[in-house]
């Protein structure tokens, strides 16, 4: 028997947490004990892969027999033996464990460029990347193209920075390439601090060589002799895979002195960040690499003129750089065939919140938001009503349901008061309180503000205090106007992007959900039933059977009543924990 | 030279000048809190914002270099409203105890609050409350009054080269402190005190000795060493209560701990005011003429009996160059010996 067999086990952070390593071991053990490994020898490969998007279904396993791929979900070590017996040996996939239809729907509307090899290449083996034409782009660039030609291709492709601001990458490279200096640097920004974002992490964990290849091409284009990957220390797996990838790239002469036999010298160092959100801001990042407190400084001068150690420096996001090898290999026209007139290519989003299929997706720019939510995301969890999508993390805003048909690209999102940002996408349903959502983001930005400038340091604190008093029932008349006024002043006067965008979650929720703010302030009610201080629980006497279940669970002793008689809650004693609400079998407790 | 206009006025300044310096050159006022002409621009307080035609948001004049043809507006209702918000924010986190603050009358923040007429504060909220912890005899640190302008941090690093303090923590809790919030243990030059725009940093010895009222400022030279730094004595009722130094002096306003904080000897009761001559084991007050006559007489006798080289002279680093020159001249020409030395060599 001569069979080709490939087993791919998802071992991104999600896969490992779900037990990927144990599943992998089980495959190794049983394939060997059942003689499969011996029989087909070299034609049997088994390897780990990075995230392919739907981490909620981990451990995901691909079995490829003679080029026919079957994907299994929720695999545990105990299930492995049966898969080998029935599928690998007898050729009949275990249908009940394979991924259902929606797994394919999740992938069908996506267009994968950056993620095209994530989930199929082995991130810990450079050969695996080389097998899918990895480093071909680098070879092409250093042996047949001048730096100016390379920059030309990137410019033509229309690639814009994926780190948030959407600055044209080709233009950034071109400015830096024209500076004359003894040293120049290229930095890969892998600080990824937005709450809920895991795009860059997954790219590095799934295909670190694409990022490295993009960086080397960038270095060649601008004339840099050294590079840094600034990556947060909380990403140990990404750091480990990156270190390993750098080592392998050096062995293959893709890094170091005389790259690929040319006279181009370049190498990359890893700098671990301590997990400050503000260190993702480029000037703070530079200060941090220089060993100083990570605080932004005023621009101009921009880093392309005066960056790391005062030398011309290009800073690009992970995803931006990971696009580069594919653009070089497949051409600027191919890349710019995706997307809209001003936003070319694809964008990776971390789709989370109240959505059925949460995970990592890559879509062409300009895709309608509705398709992301309902086709890829599979709609709202538990069939609740869609309320809004929060995009762009703490710098972004909310897009309400009446704008669901908006296109997702830089310009369209900006026109409704949100941003593409780095790619966070949090879906909210009818059970989410918009004031509370704004408060969540302000808590984040306030505690992550570097403290350098007054509007951000004290201003976000005051915004947060006002939101806190609104959600605790102490909102005052005029608070909405005060929020708007202070928010605008903070945006106008803050030093860096953190402070300049921190008020966006407030402004956009006021813009689309002003009535919710008003309900909190004037009626002292939280329409979504989230803000605890604004809730009250009452027992509906006509339904109450007097069973006493609520009385037993109330931790504050706020409920009284005789057996078989309607009970009552003393609002002054009630701590609004909701225990009674959960305990009542007869739905006799009203919340509101 | 770069030509630009500020508030419609043509101004011409060298390349690399900031908008702030160009405006000050043209005598156009712009409020600042974190700017210091000798320190790296910081851009933290945001008060110095101005409008530049063609840029859609205000820029900080202290960090932005001029460009040819730039049209700058330093004041407008919008700009002043933004400045006022910034001041309201700072004051919302300030003890506002000007009544008893050491710095009252010489405080940039107080002055700005006065000019912007801030009394009620619509942005009131939580204030930072810190337990004081500073066992040193020189510098009083009241960090609740700190506005985080970063001048002390920069001066300690950039001018003094010590780096004893930096900003720690994030967000509202950001705070200037020594490493690990230990007690301040530095050179105590007090340069930080001299640039602090508020009452956050003051001299320990200044406490309740007088603020700005009834103070006479007297320019003099520090007597501690031969450097001859210019100092300003702040005198109240004939008593020195504070020492400072002006920026337009030879020492550019920088002093050492002795010059800045070591003035308590001036009014010390044990201080020598006349020469003393020892008679039969007892020191007795004498006039200068008596003392000098006594010295001349004794030196003459020693020289006649043992020769000039039996005498040696030792002078002091606290004397000026001129005094030291005169002293060696006296030893060589009048006494006739080369045995002369100086305490700084020992
Ligand atoms: C507060 C703040 C945090 C940021 N965090 C990140 C980050 O985590 N990753 C990133 O790539 N860019 C981040 N940025 C954007 C960077 O400053 C910079 O614009 C980007 O790395 C440039 O790369 P690009 O042109 O490839 O997008 C942040 C900006 C701000 C203001
Ligand atoms: S805006 Fe916030 S994070 Fe940015 S410099 Fe100011 S205080 Fe620091
Ligand atoms: S102590 Fe004074 S000089 Fe230092 S940061 Fe605070 S206000 Fe500025
Ligand atoms: S003086 Fe310019 S920001 Fe403070």
């Amino acid at each position: 028997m001569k069979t080709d067999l490939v087993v791919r086990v998802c071992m991104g952070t999600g896969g490992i947490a779900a037990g990927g390593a144990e599943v992998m071991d089980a495959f190794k053990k049983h394939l060997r004990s059942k003689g499969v490994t011996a029989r087909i020898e070299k034609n049997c490969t088994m390897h780990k892969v990075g995230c392919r998007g739907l981490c909620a279904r981990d451990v995901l396993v691909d079995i490829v027999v003679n080029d026919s791929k079957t994907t299994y979900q929720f695999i545990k070590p105990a299930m492995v033996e049966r898969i080998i017996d029935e599928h690998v040996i007898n050729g009949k996939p275990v249908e009940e464990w394979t991924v259902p239809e929606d797994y394919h729907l999740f992938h069908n509307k996506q267009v994968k460029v950056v993620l095209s090899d994530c989930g199929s290449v082995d991130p810990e083996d450079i050969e695996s990347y080389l097998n899918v034409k990895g480093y071909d782009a680098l070879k092409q660039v250093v042996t047949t193209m001048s730096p100016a030609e390379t920059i030309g291709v990137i410019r033509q492709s229309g690639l814009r920075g994926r780190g948030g601001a959407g600055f044209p990458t080709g233009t950034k490279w071109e400015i830096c390439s024209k500076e004359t200096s003894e040293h120049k640097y290229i930095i890969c920004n892998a600080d990824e601090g937005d709450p809920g974002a895991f795009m860059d992490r997954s790219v590095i964990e799934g295909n670190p060589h694409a990022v490295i290849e993009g960086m080397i091409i960038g270095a060649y284009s601008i004339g840099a002799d050294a590079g840094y990957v600034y990556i947060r220390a909380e990403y140990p797996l990404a750091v480990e895979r990156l270190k390993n990838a750098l080592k392998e790239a050096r062995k293959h002469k893709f890094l170091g002195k005389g790259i690929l036999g040319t006279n181009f010298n370049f190498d990359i160092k890893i700098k671990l960040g301590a997990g400050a959100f503000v260190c993702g801001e480029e000037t703070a990042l530079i200060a941090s690499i220089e060993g100083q407190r990570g605080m932004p400084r005023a621009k101009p001068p921009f880093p392309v003129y005066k960056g790391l150690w005062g030398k011309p420096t290009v800073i690009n996001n992970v995803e931006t750089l990971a696009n580069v090898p594919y653009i070089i290999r497949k051409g600027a026209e191919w890349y710019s065939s995706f997307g809209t007139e001003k936003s070319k290519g694809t964008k990776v989003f971390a789709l989370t919140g109240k959505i059925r299929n949460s995970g990592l997706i890559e879509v062409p720019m300009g895709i309608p938001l509705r398709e992301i939510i309902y086709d890829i995301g599979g709609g709202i969890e538990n069939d609740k009503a869609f309320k809004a999508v929060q995009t762009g993390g703490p710098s972004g805003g909310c897009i309400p349901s009446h704008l669901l048909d908006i296109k997702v690209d830089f310009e369209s999102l900006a026109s409704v008061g949100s941003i593409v940002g780095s790619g966070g996408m949090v879906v909210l349903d009818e059970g989410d309180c918009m004031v509370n959502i704004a408060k969540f983001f302000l808590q984040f930005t306030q505690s992550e503000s570097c403290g350098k400038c007054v509007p951000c340091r004290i201003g976000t604190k005051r915004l947060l205090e006002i939101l806190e008093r609104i959600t605790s029932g102490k909102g005052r008349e005029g608070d909405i106007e005060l929020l708007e006024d202070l928010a605008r002043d903070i945006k106008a006067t803050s030093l860096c992007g953190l402070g300049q965008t921190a008020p966006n979650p407030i402004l956009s929720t006021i813009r689309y959900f002003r009535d919710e703010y008003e309900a909190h302030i004037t009626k002292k009610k939280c329409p979504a039933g989230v803000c605890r201080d604004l809730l009250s629980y009452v027992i509906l006497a006509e339904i109450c059977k007097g069973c006493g279940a609520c009385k037993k669970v109330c931790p504050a002793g706020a409920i009284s009543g005789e057996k078989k008689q309607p009970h009552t809650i003393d609002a002054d004693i009630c701590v609004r924990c909701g225990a009674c609400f959960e305990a009542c079998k007869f739905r006799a407790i009203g919340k509101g | 030279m770069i030509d630009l206009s500020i508030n419609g006025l043509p101004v011409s300044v060298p390349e690399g000048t900031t908008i702030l310096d160009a405006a000050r050159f043209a005598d156009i006022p712009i409020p600042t809190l974190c700017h210091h002409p000798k320190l790296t621009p910081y851009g933290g307080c945001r008060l110095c914002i101005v409008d530049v035609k063609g840029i859609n948001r205000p820029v900080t004049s202290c960090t932005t270099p001029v460009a040819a043809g730039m049209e700058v507006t330093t004041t407008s209702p919008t700009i002043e409203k933004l400045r006022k918000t910034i001041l309201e924010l700072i004051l919302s986190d300030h003890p506002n105890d000007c009544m008893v603050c050491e710095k009252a009358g010489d405080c940039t923040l107080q002055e700005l609050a006065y000019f912007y007429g801030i009394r009620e504060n619509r942005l009131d909220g939580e204030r930072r409350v810190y337990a004081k912890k500073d066992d040193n005899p020189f510098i009083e640190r009241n960090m609740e009054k700190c506005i985080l302008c970063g001048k002390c941090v920069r001066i300690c690093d950039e001018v003094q080269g010590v780096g004893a303090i930096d900003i720690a923590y994030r967000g509202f809790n950001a705070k200037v402190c020594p490493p690990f919030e230990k007690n301040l243990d530095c050179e105590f030059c007090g340069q930080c005190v001299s640039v602090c725009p508020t009452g956050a940093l003051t001299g320990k010895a200044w406490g309740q000795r007088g603020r700005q009222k009834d103070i006479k400022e007297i320019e003099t030279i520090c007597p501690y060493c031969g450097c001859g730094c210019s100092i300003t004595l702040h005198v109240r009722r004939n008593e020195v209560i504070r020492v400072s130094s002006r920026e337009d002096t030879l020492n550019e306003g920088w002093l050492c701990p002795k010059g800045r904080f070591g003035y308590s000897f001036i009014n010390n009761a044990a201080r020598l005011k006349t020469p003393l001559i020892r008679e039969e084991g007892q020191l007795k007050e004498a006039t200068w003429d008596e003392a000098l006559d006594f010295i001349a007489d004794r030196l003459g006798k020693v020289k006649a009996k043992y020769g000039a080289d039996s005498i040696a002279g030792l002078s002091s680093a606290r004397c000026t160059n001129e005094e030291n020159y005169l002293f060696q001249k006296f030893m060589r020409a009048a006494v006739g010996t080369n045995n002369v030395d100086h305490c700084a060599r020992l």
Side-chain angles (χ1 to χ4, degrees):
Chain A
M1 176 175 100
K2 185 169 173 334
T3 320
D4 275 338
L5 170 67
V6 184
V7 179
R8 299 194 202 108
V9 180
C10 177
M11 280 175 69
T13 296
I16 290 178
E22 291 75 21
V23 171
M24 180 80 148
D25 286 345
F27 268 105
K28 273 189 199 149
K29 188 175 120 197
H30 294 301
L31 283 174
R32 202 176 305 117
S33 71
K34 291 180 190 293
V36 179
T37 324
R39 240 179 307 142
I40 59 178
E41 285 182 1
K42 282 219 174 95
N43 296 322
C44 168
T45 51
M46 225 182 323
H47 63 80
K48 26 178 120 166
V49 294
C51 179
R52 74 266 304 278
L54 262 183
C55 304
R57 309 269 174 97
D58 265 324
V59 178
L60 286 158
V61 175
D62 285 343
I63 304 281
V64 189
V65 183
N66 292 332
D67 288 335
S68 155
K69 183 175 98 173
T70 308
T71 306
Y72 291 96
Q73 62 182 15
F74 300 121
I75 295 306
K76 302 257 165 296
M79 298 155 84
V80 169
E81 199 172 352
R82 186 170 153 205
I83 294 176
I84 294 177
D85 284 343
E86 295 183 15
H87 186 174
V88 178
I89 298 179
N90 288 327
K92 281 225 303 277
V94 187
E95 298 290 347
E96 55 192 287
W97 294 342
T98 58
V99 290
E101 183 61 18
D102 67 344
Y103 179 84
H104 301 292
L105 285 179
F106 176 80
H107 289 285
N108 284 350
K109 286 226 168 155
Q110 297 193 44
V111 173
K112 299 206 173 183
V113 176
V114 173
L115 299 181
S116 55
D117 293 320
C118 278
S120 57
V121 299
D122 181 342
E124 295 178 11
D125 181 8
I126 193 168
E127 295 299 335
S128 176
Y129 184 60
L130 292 172
N131 283 340
V132 293
K133 299 202 166 79
Y135 289 104
D136 278 8
L138 176 66
K139 286 176 203 155
Q140 184 185 335
V141 164
V142 295
T143 55
T144 68
M145 290 164 80
S146 70
E149 279 167 343
T150 315
I151 292 172
V153 174
I154 300 299
R155 273 191 84 128
Q156 253 184 356
S157 75
L159 175 65
R160 290 167 63 177
R162 279 2 185 189
F167 190 83
T169 306
T171 310
K172 195 186 270 191
W173 289 12
E174 186 170 9
I175 299 171
C176 195
S177 73
K178 291 196 170 137
E179 289 295 293
T180 41
S181 168
E182 196 189 344
H183 296 289
K184 286 187 200 174
Y185 300 101
I186 183 164
I187 298 174
C188 169
N189 189 343
D191 192 53
E192 195 167 55
D194 293 26
F198 48 86
M199 298 79 57
D200 296 345
R201 165 192 206 149
S202 305
V203 171
I204 295 181
E205 286 177 0
N207 194 5
H209 285 290
V211 182
I212 296 173
E213 188 179 2
M215 259 184 105
I216 309 173
I217 295 172
Y220 176 77
S221 307
I222 63 166
D225 53 348
Y228 286 85
V229 180
Y230 188 89
I231 181 166
R232 48 181 50 224
E234 292 103 320
Y235 283 180
L237 181 65
V239 173
E240 190 192 301
R241 290 193 174 157
L242 196 60
K243 274 190 185 154
N244 173 62
L246 286 173
K247 214 170 9 176
E248 290 194 301
R250 271 183 214 118
K251 263 193 230 150
H252 281 76
K253 288 263 168 211
F254 299 139
L255 282 173
K257 287 222 159 71
I259 290 172
L260 291 170
T262 65
N263 55 8
F264 166 44
N265 307 325
F266 174 71
D267 211 334
I268 297 174
K269 282 186 195 150
I270 295 178
K271 170 78 191 176
L272 296 186
F277 174 59
V278 72
C279 285
E281 196 283 336
E282 50 193 14
T283 58
L285 187 154
I286 287 174
S288 175
I289 293 183
E290 289 175 346
Q292 288 165 15
R293 177 177 163 89
M295 287 203 297
R297 58 161 179 66
K299 297 184 271 193
F302 289 90
V304 278
Y305 301 106
K306 262 182 119 181
L308 185 62
W309 318 114
K311 301 282 186 267
T313 303
V314 158
I315 301 186
N316 276 131
N317 165 261
V318 171
E319 189 186 330
T320 313
L321 291 166
N323 268 302
V324 168
Y326 297 97
I327 294 174
I328 298 285
R329 229 162 57 211
K330 301 191 178 177
E333 264 142 58
W334 165 81
Y335 187 77
S336 62
S337 69
F338 306 112
T340 63
E341 197 202 327
K342 287 186 174 155
S343 304
K344 298 293 183 196
T346 59
K347 175 79 193 92
V348 181
F349 288 96
L351 187 61
T352 56
K354 309 286 177 56
I355 185 105
R356 252 192 213 106
N357 302 331
S358 63
L360 194 70
I361 61 167
E362 182 171 359
V363 289
M365 285 281 192
I367 186 176
L369 182 58
R370 186 184 293 280
E371 286 185 20
I372 297 186
I373 308 289
Y374 287 97
D375 297 344
I376 299 174
I380 309 305
E381 228 177 20
N382 304 324
D383 292 317
K384 287 207 176 156
F386 170 85
K387 187 168 192 178
V389 175
Q390 211 283 346
T391 67
S395 315
C398 289
I399 302 167
S401 55
H402 74 268
L403 295 174
L404 247 180
D405 288 307
I406 193 175
K407 290 179 166 181
V408 176
D409 60 59
F410 289 117
E411 288 72 30
S412 308
L413 291 197
S415 74
V416 297
S418 190
I419 56 167
V420 171
S422 55
M425 207 175 250
V426 185
V427 180
L428 307 171
D429 71 13
E430 54 194 326
D432 285 306
C433 164
M434 300 314 279
V435 188
N436 194 52
I437 294 287
K439 190 172 81 176
F440 167 80
F441 282 110
L442 260 289
Q443 271 160 350
F444 178 80
T445 34
Q446 157 57 210
S447 59
E448 290 296 329
S449 155
C450 82
K452 179 169 181 173
C453 75
V454 174
C456 175
R457 182 182 74 244
I458 312 178
T460 57
K461 172 80 178 171
R462 298 297 173 242
L463 288 177
L464 177 59
E465 285 171 346
I466 299 169
L467 290 175
E468 276 166 350
R469 77 177 176 237
I470 293 177
T471 54
S472 64
K474 300 190 188 105
R476 305 169 196 158
E477 188 134 346
D479 270 353
I480 300 180
E481 292 71 21
L482 184 59
L483 280 173
E484 288 176 314
D485 189 45
L486 180 57
R488 277 192 286 262
D489 289 357
I490 293 171
K491 279 171 75 78
T493 54
S494 288
L495 195 168
C496 83
L498 195 157
Q500 287 162 14
T501 60
N504 287 353
I506 297 183
L507 288 174
S508 99
T509 48
I510 293 183
R511 177 167 167 188
Y512 296 117
F513 301 94
R514 199 181 186 99
D515 52 335
E516 272 191 50
Y517 280 81
E518 279 162 357
H520 282 75
I521 296 170
T522 52
K523 300 203 194 94
K524 307 289 177 211
K525 285 285 169 211
C526 173
V530 171
C531 300
R532 207 195 233 204
D533 292 335
L534 299 183
L535 290 180
S536 55
Y537 291 90
V538 283
I539 295 175
L540 309 168
E542 56 280 21
I543 307 180
C544 176
K545 302 263 189 279
C547 72
C550 55
K551 197 164 143 186
K552 260 195 222 122
V553 296
C554 176
I559 301 178
S560 55
E562 297 298 319
K563 266 232 162 327
K564 306 224 166 116
Q565 293 296 314
H567 284 37
T568 51
I569 299 175
D570 185 337
D572 292 337
I573 304 174
C574 171
V575 293
R576 303 176 181 92
C577 67
C580 55
F581 186 81
E582 303 292 328
C584 180
K585 279 194 282 217
F586 308 101
R587 295 176 172 265
I589 295 181
K591 168 172 136 175
Chain B
M1 295 297 266
I2 305 280
D3 293 313
L4 69 156
S5 84
I6 305 181
N7 300 346
L9 208 77
V11 182
S12 187
V13 288
E15 200 182 333
T17 308
T18 61
I19 298 176
L20 178 67
D21 286 342
R24 293 202 166 157
F25 173 72
D27 202 22
I28 295 167
I30 295 177
T32 63
L33 270 171
C34 71
H35 175 76
H36 190 285
K38 300 242 173 62
L39 302 175
T40 313
Y42 190 64
C45 76
R46 318 303 289 168
L47 273 180
C48 69
I49 45 170
V50 296
D51 271 326
V52 174
K53 199 172 168 191
I55 300 180
N56 64 2
R57 49 180 302 123
V59 303
T60 42
S61 59
C62 70
T63 61
T64 312
V66 294
M70 215 178 216
E71 291 175 41
V72 179
T73 310
T74 64
T75 179
S76 71
T78 321
I79 290 284
E80 297 304 346
K81 150 84 172 27
L82 292 174
R83 287 186 184 143
K84 188 166 177 187
T85 300
I86 292 166
L87 282 168
E88 284 174 310
L89 284 172
I90 297 177
L91 291 167
S92 74
D93 181 31
H94 200 78
N96 292 347
D97 60 356
C98 305
M99 233 21 134
V100 289
C101 180
E102 208 45 53
K103 193 79 170 181
D106 186 28
C107 171
T108 320
L109 181 60
Q110 192 187 40
E111 204 64 3
L112 285 166
Y114 163 80
F115 277 116
Y116 282 83
I118 300 169
R119 187 123 204 249
E120 249 87 75
N121 196 336
R122 69 197 165 111
L123 301 175
D124 266 339
E126 185 192 331
R127 278 203 297 108
R128 292 162 299 158
V129 178
Y130 296 136
K132 265 209 234 170
K133 175 183 169 193
D134 261 304
D135 300 334
N136 79 77
F138 304 112
I139 299 175
E140 179 81 15
R141 298 169 69 240
N142 195 338
M143 300 320 281
E144 290 172 10
K145 295 182 183 175
C146 170
I147 58 165
L148 278 109
C149 70
K151 282 195 209 176
C152 54
V153 174
R154 276 173 291 152
I155 207 151
C156 187
D157 178 30
E158 295 172 20
V159 173
Q160 204 64 18
V162 171
I165 42 176
D166 205 337
I167 299 175
Y169 306 109
R170 285 203 281 265
F172 190 66
N173 301 321
K175 176 183 195 181
V176 173
C177 59
F180 311 107
E181 290 206 60
K182 289 189 174 157
N183 267 316
L184 186 64
D185 183 12
C186 60
E187 308 195 340
F188 298 113
C189 63
Q191 245 70 282
C192 54
V193 177
S194 76
V195 293
C196 183
T198 70
L201 300 177
T202 55
K204 280 238 158 95
W206 304 355
Q208 285 167 319
R209 307 297 295 271
R211 295 189 290 194
Q212 305 307 312
K213 197 170 162 8
D214 303 328
I215 298 291
K216 264 195 281 179
E217 291 189 6
I218 295 164
E219 302 300 326
T220 183
I221 302 293
C222 173
Y224 267 108
C225 80
C227 286
C229 292
S230 296
I231 56 176
T232 306
L233 302 178
H234 299 240
V235 179
R236 181 172 175 274
R237 300 180 67 94
N238 207 30
E239 190 188 332
V240 174
I241 58 146
R242 196 161 56 226
V243 171
S244 67
S245 182
R246 294 202 333 256
E247 275 166 32
D248 58 352
T249 52
L250 192 72
N251 49 301
E252 304 185 357
W254 316 139
L255 293 175
C256 77
K258 290 182 288 182
R260 193 183 304 279
F261 298 121
Y263 54 83
S264 61
F265 71 91
I266 299 174
N267 295 344
N268 195 308
R271 188 176 160 194
L272 278 182
K273 292 190 183 115
T274 63
L276 303 175
I277 297 176
R278 196 183 303 275
E279 284 171 17
E280 291 155 12
Q282 288 288 315
L283 286 169
K284 295 232 170 85
E285 283 191 8
T287 66
W288 279 106
D289 279 344
E290 284 165 358
L292 289 171
D293 284 347
F294 179 74
I295 292 166
D297 178 49
R298 291 297 302 270
L299 281 180
K301 282 184 184 149
V302 171
K303 183 177 166 183
K305 188 160 175 195
Y306 301 105
D309 278 343
S310 63
I311 300 171
L314 195 62
S315 77
S316 166
R318 287 188 59 175
C319 300
T320 62
N321 276 345
E322 293 79 358
E323 287 162 339
N324 276 316
Y325 174 80
L326 279 176
F327 183 72
Q328 64 83 30
K329 191 81 181 170
F330 168 75
M331 289 303 292
R332 292 197 169 98
V335 178
T337 177
N338 286 329
N339 293 342
V340 57
D341 214 332
H342 181 282
C343 72
R345 254 172 39 91
L346 300 180

